Amino acid sequence: MRIKTSLTTVLTLAVLTTACGGPAVREHPAAGKASAEPLVWPKPPRPARVRFIGTVARPADLGVKPSFWKRLGKLLHGADPDWFIRPGGVAAQDNKIYVADPGAQTLWVLDTEAGRFQRIEKAGRQPLVSPVAVAPGRNARVYLADSYLAKVFVYHADAKLQTIISNKKLQRPAGLAYDAAKDRLYVADSAAHRIWIFDGQGKPVGALGGRGTAKGRFNFPTHVTVDRKGVLYVTDAMGFRIQIFGPDGGFLSTFGRHGNASGDFAAPKGVGADSAGHVYVVDALFDAVQIFDRGGRLLLSFGERGLGPGQFWLPGGLYIDKQDRIYVADAYNQRIQIFEYLSGGGDG
C-alpha cells in the first residue's frame, strides 16, 4: 500500500457486493444509479487496496426484521420507521453489527445470522441520552458509552443490562476499545483528558494521560482502538494527532499535525488498525478516511463530501473487524458504510 491519493478522490458509483463471510447490504436511497465497476482505492491500473462493500441505513438493508414484540408494538401503536438518525459509533462481532446512535438515543443490535434486530433505548429504567461509542467484549458482553450520562453500560448480547461503570472521575466518555487478550476496557474521557482502564467487569485498573501537549498527554481524546498485538491507538482530537501506547501502557510514538493537506488532520475522529498494521483515521472535516503506516506516513485515502457510496458527510466512528472489514459511521448521511482492506504484495 504505497500509493498516495488525493483527499478529494473522484469517486464512481459501484454495484454492491458481499465480502466473504460478511453481511449482505443494500444501496442507500440517495446513492444514485450504480455502475458496473467495483468501487476501489486506489484507482486502476494501480492494485486495489480498499474496496467498497455496501451501505446500511436501516436494519432492513441487512434483511433483518424486528423482534416479535417490536412488530406487535407497531401493530398496536402504529408505524415507527427504523432508520439510523445520527450514528456515531459502530462495532461488529459474531455476525452482529452494533450501532451507537445518539440521534436516535439508541443502541442498535443487528443480528445478521438470526435475521433480527433490537433497539436498546434504556439502561434499566434510565433512558439513554447520548450513546456515542460501543465495543463488544468477552462472553457476549457489549459496552456502551453515554457521554451525557457519564456512564458506560455493560449489556449481555440479549440486551439485558449487566452492570454500570460509573465514578466521580469519569466525566465524558467518548470512545471505547476492548482488549480481549488482557480483558481490558479502555475509555476515552474527553473532558478529563484521560484514558481510563477497567477490567471486563468494570473494576478500575489504571489510567493514561492528563491534559497537555507533551507526549502521552491529551487535549480532548475522543476515540480509541486496540490492534491485534494489544497496541493502543488514541485520537487526541484537539492535539490533532494519533498517540500510540504499548500493551503495558508505555508511550510508543505519535504522529499527525493540524492542517488541510493530505496527511494532516482537521477534525480527527475514529481510529482503527487492520491485520497488516495500517492505521486508519476518520477526518470529519475532510469527509475522508486516511490510512497511515505506524510511523505516520500517509499511504492512501478515500472519501469526499457527498451522498453516494464511498462518500461521506461528517463521518465519525470507525471499526475494523477480524476479517479486515472497515465500518464507518457516516453520521449526517445517516448510515454505516462498509469497506474491505485487500491485502496484497508490496504493502507498506
Side-chain angles (χ1 to χ4, degrees):
M1 188 182 287
R2 299 184 183 275
I3 306 299
K4 293 185 180 181
T5 60
S6 168
L7 288 175
T8 56
T9 304
V10 178
L11 303 180
T12 58
L13 302 181
V15 292
L16 303 182
T17 55
T18 302
C20 179
V25 291
R26 300 175 183 171
E27 191 171 353
H28 189 279
K33 186 176 180 181
S35 75
E37 295 298 324
L39 187 58
V40 297
W41 294 266
K43 300 301 179 186
R46 297 165 179 165
R49 290 292 178 261
V50 174
R51 178 172 69 95
F52 172 76
I53 296 177
T55 293
V56 183
R58 55 179 179 166
D61 291 341
L62 289 170
V64 299
K65 301 177 181 179
S67 67
F68 168 79
W69 296 110
K70 179 72 173 179
R71 296 197 304 271
L72 180 60
K74 287 185 177 182
L75 289 174
L76 294 175
H77 304 294
D80 179 20
D82 291 305
W83 289 83
F84 302 153
I85 303 300
R86 184 167 48 86
V90 62
Q93 181 174 278
D94 298 333
N95 297 307
K96 291 184 176 68
I97 299 176
Y98 303 93
V99 180
D101 187 345
Q105 298 178 307
T106 294
L107 171 63
W108 302 84
V109 183
L110 284 61
D111 189 329
T112 61
E113 184 175 48
R116 290 286 183 267
F117 76 90
Q118 294 175 292
R119 290 185 63 167
I120 300 176
E121 299 169 292
K122 293 184 177 182
R125 296 183 179 181
Q126 170 71 64
L128 299 176
V129 179
S130 184
V132 295
V134 60
R138 279 184 187 172
N139 303 319
R141 290 193 188 97
V142 180
Y143 302 92
L144 177 70
D146 191 303
S147 61
Y148 181 86
L149 297 175
K151 297 176 181 179
V152 176
F153 300 108
V154 186
Y155 295 92
H156 189 268
D158 61 8
K160 292 182 179 179
L161 181 67
Q162 289 191 328
T163 189
I164 299 174
I165 301 174
S166 176
N167 59 51
K168 293 181 180 180
K169 293 182 178 181
L170 187 59
Q171 298 180 38
R172 194 169 184 85
L176 297 174
Y178 178 76
D179 184 346
K182 296 174 61 178
D183 191 31
R184 291 290 184 266
L185 177 70
Y186 297 92
V187 181
D189 188 335
S190 60
H193 310 284
R194 293 183 182 275
I195 307 300
W196 303 111
I197 309 172
F198 301 87
D199 68 14
Q201 287 71 44
K203 179 182 177 181
V205 296
L208 299 173
R211 190 163 195 180
T213 59
K215 296 176 180 178
R217 301 185 73 83
F218 305 111
N219 192 8
F220 295 95
T222 57
H223 295 77
V224 285
T225 195
V226 178
D227 70 12
R228 290 157 174 81
K229 297 181 179 179
V231 175
L232 176 70
Y233 302 80
V234 180
T235 300
D236 188 10
M238 296 307 295
F240 302 99
R241 60 184 178 177
I242 300 298
Q243 296 206 58
I244 305 173
F245 300 82
D248 62 352
F251 175 82
L252 294 179
S253 63
T254 183
F255 68 85
R257 66 178 185 181
H258 187 211
N260 59 9
S262 296
D264 292 345
F265 294 137
K269 299 289 185 180
V271 60
D274 64 26
S275 61
H278 306 122
V279 183
Y280 296 64
V281 184
V282 172
D283 198 294
L285 289 186
F286 290 160
D287 293 302
V289 178
Q290 299 189 95
I291 308 174
F292 303 85
D293 64 17
R294 278 275 302 273
R297 179 171 61 104
L298 179 66
L299 303 172
L300 181 69
S301 64
F302 61 94
E304 65 177 6
R305 171 66 65 87
L307 304 178
Q311 298 176 323
F312 302 107
W313 187 8
L314 293 178
L318 178 144
Y319 186 85
I320 301 177
D321 68 14
K322 294 179 181 179
Q323 289 73 43
D324 281 333
R325 289 185 292 262
I326 306 153
Y327 301 78
V328 181
D330 190 6
Y332 279 75
N333 277 327
Q334 300 179 286
R335 62 187 180 181
I336 302 298
Q337 294 203 64
I338 307 174
F339 305 84
E340 180 183 25
Y341 164 63
L342 305 173
S343 62
D347 289 341

